[in-house]
Structure formats: structure tokens, C-alpha cells
Amino acid sequence: MLNALKFSACGVCLLMFASFAAAVEQAKISPAAELVGAKRVLIIGHRGASAHAPENTLPSFEAAVKAKADMVELDYYHSADKVPVVMHDKDLDRTTDAGKVLGKYNIKLEDVTVADLKKVDAGKWFKTQFAGTKVPTLEEAFTVIQAGSMTLIERKGGDAATIVKMLDDKKLRGNVVVQAFDWKYIADCHKLAPDLALGCLGSKELGTKQIADAKQAGAAAVGWRHSDLTKENIAAAHAAGLKCWAYTVNDKKRGQQLIDVGIDGIITDDPGLMRELLK
């Protein structure tokens, strides 16, 4: 009887310890949440280091990592075969030679397969030295960026479920940040993955309603057009528990002004230049 009681007590202790361990694990702050909440100004490479290499390409991401960007921002859509692919524009004309290679202009990225996307050149429009650069998939971008920085994923097209599943498959949910101008998409991401670090993008007015809506969507930060940011609306975002990032800042004087009024992150085409402000 005594041995049975001892065994029972031991089992209860083990269950209590397991529950405690699970609670501790759940309470851990992810690397992404920790970075977003950092008490310093973050330097975020816009489409990589797009002042120095063709935007949204692996060379641009490599340059941003080399410039010690805290995060590297990129944009993605889904291809015709439902693969997340990195590009800012809906069509291929501005940043590739798709018209010449594929024989048609104004082609929407969502109408092209990854196999055909890999036939076009996404670098020589910027400088001839980048000729041969390809349009990367989101997975290929992760390989470069996550090796030395953190990916700030901006959704241009695609559903929340696909990106959450991809992040889970790659074990990256706690190691990236997702943002979008479509706040319903952000809310959908939050419902599917409450621990995913999220940001709401916007411009023009950043007032009480916008701040409340961003919080409701599950965002930890708002990314706002720099010309619409003031000391007052940055402070209002802070009062609501949100971080505030400014896009797209390429002038050191404006960068310093924003730092002086409390900005938390600077999204820039030239992360190396903006990092000089923090020395």
C-alpha cells in the first residue's frame, strides 16, 4: 500500500513538472518578438540593400546582411503553381526582361510558373554586373537572409494559411516578422499563429482608430510612411504598446530627425548608410 502511494505521488509530481515545463516553454519570447521589442532603433533593409543591388534578389539580400541590417524586408506573391516568389510589382516588366524572354509584356507574376520565372533575368536592368540574377523564391531568400539577419516578409499576394504553413514547415515561425498593408491578412495570420510577430503597414493618418485597429489585428508594430510620422503619433503608438517603423528613409538628416522623436525602426534602401547614424 505504501509503495502504491509513493508511486502515485511520484506520478503526480511528474505531471506537475511536465505542466510547468510546458508553461515555461510557452512563455518564452521568440527571437522575432524579442527583436521587435528591442529598446533600440532597428535598421531594416528595404528589398535588401536595394540602393546597391537589384531589389528583392539574393545579391541585394546578401548586401543587406553584410551591412548588418537587423532585418531584411522583402515582398512576395504566389506564382501560377502556388509557390511564394519574391517580387514587389504585380507584373514582371520593371525588374526583369520577361517581355523579351517569354514573348509577352505585362505578364502578371501570378500567371507565371516558377520554372518560367527562372528563365528571366532580374539583375541586368539595375547594372550589367548583375546580369544573370534570378527571381528568388521565398524559400531561397530565407536561406540567405536567415543566415545573418532576420526576414521581414511583406505580403503582396497570397493567403495567410500558406505562409503560416510554410513557416512552420521551415521551423521559422518564431524567427521572422510578417507585415502587410492588408490588415485582414494580418488578422488571419494572428488567428492561425498567435505567436507570429506581425506588423501593420500604412500611410497618411496614424490616429487613435488606426492604432486600435492595428492592435486588434494582432500587430506588434506599425510601419508607416515616414513623411506622415510625427513625435505625437509615434508617442501614441508607443502608448498603445506598438513599435513604430518608418519607410522608406534614405536621407541621413531625415533619419536623425526620426530617431530624435522616438522612432523604433528605419526601413531603408541603404542600411549601411542609416547604420552610421547609430554610431
Side-chain angles (χ1 to χ4, degrees):
M1 181 68 176
L2 184 60
N3 286 337
L5 286 172
K6 285 181 178 179
F7 182 79
S8 178
C10 183
V12 170
C13 288
L14 285 171
L15 284 171
M16 289 176 66
F17 179 79
S19 297
F20 176 75
V24 169
E25 186 66 29
Q26 192 171 19
K28 282 183 180 178
I29 298 175
S30 71
E34 186 175 8
L35 182 61
V36 172
K39 295 181 179 179
R40 60 184 177 86
V41 179
L42 303 180
I43 302 299
I44 303 165
H46 182 235
R47 308 177 197 172
S50 53
H52 301 286
E55 64 180 62
N56 279 326
T57 64
L58 299 186
S60 189
F61 303 147
E62 289 166 356
V65 172
K66 187 176 180 180
K68 301 188 185 307
D70 294 295
M71 285 192 279
V72 180
E73 184 265 356
L74 54 73
D75 309 279
Y76 85 92
Y77 290 90
H78 286 179
S79 65
D81 39 353
K82 308 304 179 187
V83 177
V85 174
V86 180
M87 186 171 286
H88 177 271
D89 298 359
K90 287 182 179 181
D91 63 62
L92 307 180
D93 290 350
R94 182 175 66 86
T95 58
T96 79
D97 61 353
K100 179 181 177 181
V101 174
L102 302 179
K104 185 179 179 182
Y105 290 90
N106 300 316
I107 308 174
K108 298 291 185 287
L109 190 151
E110 63 186 17
D111 295 329
V112 183
T113 64
V114 170
D116 279 340
L117 281 170
K118 290 302 182 182
K119 297 175 184 177
V120 306
D121 190 301
K124 64 186 177 185
W125 69 271
F126 186 83
K127 282 184 181 177
T128 54
Q129 72 189 72
F130 293 105
T133 299
K134 301 302 180 184
V135 176
T137 63
L138 187 54
E139 183 176 349
E140 289 169 338
F142 287 151
T143 301
V144 171
I145 297 170
Q146 295 296 131
S149 186
M150 184 175 289
T151 312
L152 175 56
I153 305 165
E154 182 177 334
R155 177 265 194 176
K156 293 295 186 184
D159 62 292
T162 298
I163 193 66
V164 169
K165 183 180 184 303
M166 181 179 188
L167 295 177
D168 285 348
D169 289 345
K170 300 296 176 185
K171 295 181 170 53
L172 285 173
R173 187 195 287 195
N175 292 283
V176 300
V177 182
V178 177
Q179 65 177 6
F181 283 95
D182 180 349
W183 294 13
K184 183 184 181 303
Y185 167 87
I186 294 299
D188 289 344
C189 284
H190 185 62
K191 288 176 185 175
L192 291 169
D195 56 337
L196 185 60
L198 300 166
C200 284
L201 290 166
S203 62
K204 299 181 181 178
E205 183 181 4
L206 178 58
T208 304
K209 183 183 186 308
Q210 289 77 21
I211 290 169
D213 287 349
K215 288 283 288 184
Q216 181 66 31
V222 286
W224 225 253
R225 186 169 62 187
H226 78 87
S227 56
D228 297 321
L229 287 172
T230 65
K231 182 178 181 179
E232 289 72 27
N233 56 26
I234 293 172
H238 289 166
L242 291 171
K243 292 292 185 175
C244 190
W245 303 333
Y247 71 84
T248 304
V249 185
N250 295 319
D251 177 72
K252 289 179 75 174
K253 182 178 178 181
R254 179 55 177 158
Q256 189 61 58
Q257 289 172 344
L258 288 162
I259 291 170
D260 292 343
V261 296
I263 202 70
D264 301 298
I266 294 175
I267 300 173
T268 175
D269 297 333
D270 196 341
L273 181 70
M274 288 297 119
R275 182 155 292 287
E276 292 176 7
L277 296 173
L278 306 184
K279 290 181 179 179

